[in-house]
Structures are given as C-alpha cells and as structure tokens.
Amino acid sequence: MHLLIKNQGIITTFVNQFKLFMTNITVIGSGTMGNGIAHTFAQFGFEVALVDISVESLSRAIQTITGNLDRQIKKGSIDEQLKKRTLSKIKTYRDLKLAAASADLVVEAATENPEIKLNLFKQLSDICKKGAILASNTSSISITQIASVTKNPGNVIGMHFMNPVPVMKLVEVIKGYATTDEVTDTIMSLAKQLDKVPVEVNDYPGFVANRILMPMINEAIYTLYEGVAGVQEIDTVMRSGMAHPMGPLQLADFIGLDVCLAILNVLYKGFGNQKYAPCPLLVNMVTAGHKGVKSGEGFYIYPGGENKELTVSPKFTRNKSAMI
C-alpha cells in the first residue's frame, strides 16, 4: 500500500511493509461521491473498480478525477508520477458482476434512494465472494435496513465520506444492528490508512453529521422563507459570526437541495418529529428543478457550474421574504 509522506512540500510514496488484508475495492456510482471515493482509494495504492450504468458518467468521472489530481499537483501535494499511478489503479465497468466478483470491499455511492440501495445490496449479496465487506456511503438511510436484504448482515456497514472526498478528513463509520465488531474495526483501520479521521456511530436516522447539520440548513431556509433575512445576510451571519467556512444556504447548494430534502425526509419519517419537517420553500425549489450547483441554480446561480462571486438567485433578490 502507498502511504503519503510530506517532504519539502512534495508528497512522495513508499510501500508499506505490512501486508494488506484487502487490495480490491469496488465503488458503485461514478457521481461526485463515487469518483471522489475511487480517487482516494486509488491514490493510496488500492486496485479500484468503478462501476456505473452509464458510459458517459464513467467518462466524466475519470475526467473529474484527472482534473482533481492536476489541482493536487499545482498545490504541491502530489507529483506527476503519483497522478499516473493513481489513474492506472482505476478500471471502469458497466457490469456489476464483473466489477464486484473479486472485491474485498464494496463501497456503494449510488443515488440516495432506499429502493435503489436495497436492490443493489441484494444483488451484491449474491455476487460477492464470502467475507467481502459491503459498505454504503449513504448519508442517512438505515444500515440495518440495508443489511436486512443480504445473506450476511454482519458484513454490512456504513462508510460515510464527506465531500470533496480527497480533501475532507471525516468518515462516519456506521455500525448497523447486526454489524460485527471485527468488520467495524476493519473499516476504522482502513479509513486511517486513507489518512482519514474515522468516527464510529450507531445506526439511527441521519447518524451524527446530518442529524445536526440538516436541521441547521432547514432552519436557515425557514429564516429566508419567513422573511427574517435575505440569502447573503443569513450566510454572512453564519460565516462571520459563527466561523463557518461556508454559509448554510451556500452549503445546501453545494450538497444538492434534492439531497438535503431526501435526508430531511428520512429524519422526519424516522423520528416522527415536526422539527425535521422540510421547509416548504425547499420542497418547491427541488420540485422546480432548482437543486443548487448541480442544476445551475439554487439560492445562488452557477452559470459555469461554480460561482466564486456568489450571485444570489434573482428569485431572492426582489425582497427579503421567499414566502409564497
């Protein structure tokens, strides 16, 4: 395995003398999270099978990974040799069986939809070799529920990476009701090998990160909806007053408003508590296709996919209140 060592501003690699217990990683889903997870495992020397149903999505994923590696080179955190080695470790597949049959670990990063995830894990239970660990990158869906459709629920666990995966240190390791201690310890150790900070949490709606984060984002949207303050004002308060690197409305755009809505619905259904009910404004925005950065418009507009100047959407510049 390749560990990264900082030396005079350049990260070089050396081979760990300890024998790896796993080498083959399959990542399901080539979107933002999937390609980031594939990038990270490959950069640390693992053989990665990246699988998606769309050839175009897989092509975009490799382009994204290449661009992110180039940014790492510009920052001096890796060199050209490590970039080439990382890309050589990633193979793309459209066939799930071919991609996962020899996997030591599968990390599912598909759409945050319970039906899709349950179907995938049921298939993986038949495809994967005995002893393979099945992990989900879900940000809120029950690991216990996902595990219930598999033949070996003790080998199913949550491995919730943060976006952008190559940069963010945290990995929530979610232990389902049936997840074994051995599997939990293995994933905790593996996350450390990726230079991440793993935190073990129990399997309840939203886990820790989103159980705390999503109500804050939802309350920020309610604050806009009820006309207490405008988009920039709300984000400025949280950036300048609470030392948040990004305001909650900008963060919601970055995460994806559809993802925020899906997580809030999981929290609301799971706890049956009105405090988790999604703001009507959020529901309307997602219904209208305004999902944030990914769609080009949310609380801010993103004409080129990004908006460093943070131009507020015209929808919210006419007056402070978004209540309609």
Side-chain angles (χ1 to χ4, degrees):
M1 175 178 149
H2 293 88
L3 298 180
L4 302 181
I5 302 296
K6 182 89 72 170
N7 180 18
Q8 297 179 347
I10 302 293
I11 289 181
T12 56
T13 63
F14 71 93
V15 178
N16 192 347
Q17 295 178 352
F18 295 102
K19 183 179 179 181
L20 285 174
F21 90 97
M22 61 169 64
T23 57
N24 297 320
I25 312 297
T26 295
V27 179
I28 300 175
S30 62
T32 300
M33 296 305 295
N35 71 59
I37 294 167
H39 172 164
T40 300
F41 273 105
Q43 186 171 314
F44 280 81
F46 292 88
E47 300 294 335
V48 177
L50 179 61
V51 58
D52 202 302
I53 58 174
S54 166
V55 173
E56 292 78 14
S57 295
L58 288 167
S59 177
R60 284 196 301 270
I62 296 301
Q63 290 175 6
T64 298
I65 293 168
T66 302
N68 289 336
L69 287 165
D70 286 336
R71 276 189 281 274
Q72 287 178 288
I73 291 174
K74 288 180 181 179
K75 291 179 179 178
S77 57
I78 67 170
D79 57 22
E80 185 68 30
Q81 183 181 6
L82 183 53
K83 172 192 169 182
K84 291 178 181 179
R85 186 181 298 118
T86 298
L87 290 171
S88 73
K89 293 286 183 181
I90 304 172
K91 303 293 185 294
T92 59
Y93 295 83
R94 291 184 62 202
D95 188 306
L96 181 61
K97 187 173 183 179
L98 286 176
S102 61
D104 300 305
L105 168 70
V106 177
V107 182
E108 171 273 317
T111 303
E112 195 72 354
N113 179 302
E115 185 177 348
I116 291 173
K117 292 185 186 294
L118 292 175
N119 182 51
L120 278 170
F121 274 80
K122 190 172 183 179
Q123 291 182 64
L124 289 170
S125 187
D126 292 327
I127 291 170
C128 293
K129 64 185 181 183
K130 184 179 180 181
I133 296 175
L134 308 182
S136 176
N137 182 59
T138 180
S139 52
S140 61
I141 297 169
S142 169
I143 298 302
T144 302
Q145 181 186 15
I146 291 172
S148 70
V149 301
T150 70
K151 295 176 180 177
N152 189 358
N155 279 15
V156 179
I157 195 165
M159 200 174 187
H160 181 207
F161 291 85
M162 304 294 134
N163 186 29
V165 180
V167 176
M168 300 296 282
K169 291 290 188 182
L170 177 66
V171 177
E172 275 188 307
V173 177
I174 303 103
K175 186 177 182 180
Y177 192 83
T179 308
T180 66
D181 290 339
E182 181 182 6
V183 166
T184 303
D185 291 343
T186 296
I187 295 301
M188 291 286 287
S189 296
L190 178 63
K192 291 175 183 177
Q193 291 172 11
L194 298 175
D195 196 29
K196 300 299 184 186
V197 178
V199 177
E200 181 182 338
V201 304
N202 290 318
D203 183 28
Y204 291 97
F207 317 131
V208 172
N210 282 320
R211 184 170 177 175
I212 295 170
L213 175 63
M214 286 301 154
M216 184 195 74
I217 288 177
N218 199 40
E219 195 61 33
I221 299 172
Y222 263 114
T223 303
L224 175 66
Y225 174 66
E226 295 172 355
V228 177
V231 171
Q232 286 184 318
E233 289 79 3
I234 292 166
D235 278 353
T236 298
V237 166
M238 298 306 290
R239 285 197 310 268
S240 301
M242 310 302 169
H244 289 200
M246 187 181 293
L249 300 179
Q250 182 189 0
L251 179 58
D253 276 356
F254 182 70
I255 293 169
L257 301 187
D258 55 332
V259 175
C260 293
L261 178 59
I263 295 170
L264 283 164
N265 280 329
V266 168
L267 290 168
Y268 186 38
K269 180 180 178 181
F271 290 113
N273 191 320
Q274 189 65 29
K275 73 178 181 179
Y276 297 113
C279 178
L281 173 59
L282 175 61
V283 176
N284 277 352
M285 292 177 73
V286 173
T287 302
H290 292 196
K291 301 177 182 179
V293 176
K294 68 175 73 175
S295 69
E297 184 173 356
F299 296 105
Y300 299 90
I301 57 172
Y302 307 89
E306 294 183 4
N307 181 8
K308 294 181 180 180
E309 299 300 322
L310 287 181
T311 303
V312 175
S313 166
K315 176 69 178 177
F316 304 115
T317 55
R318 294 175 185 174
N319 54 63
K320 301 288 186 185
S321 176
M323 186 180 288
I324 54 176

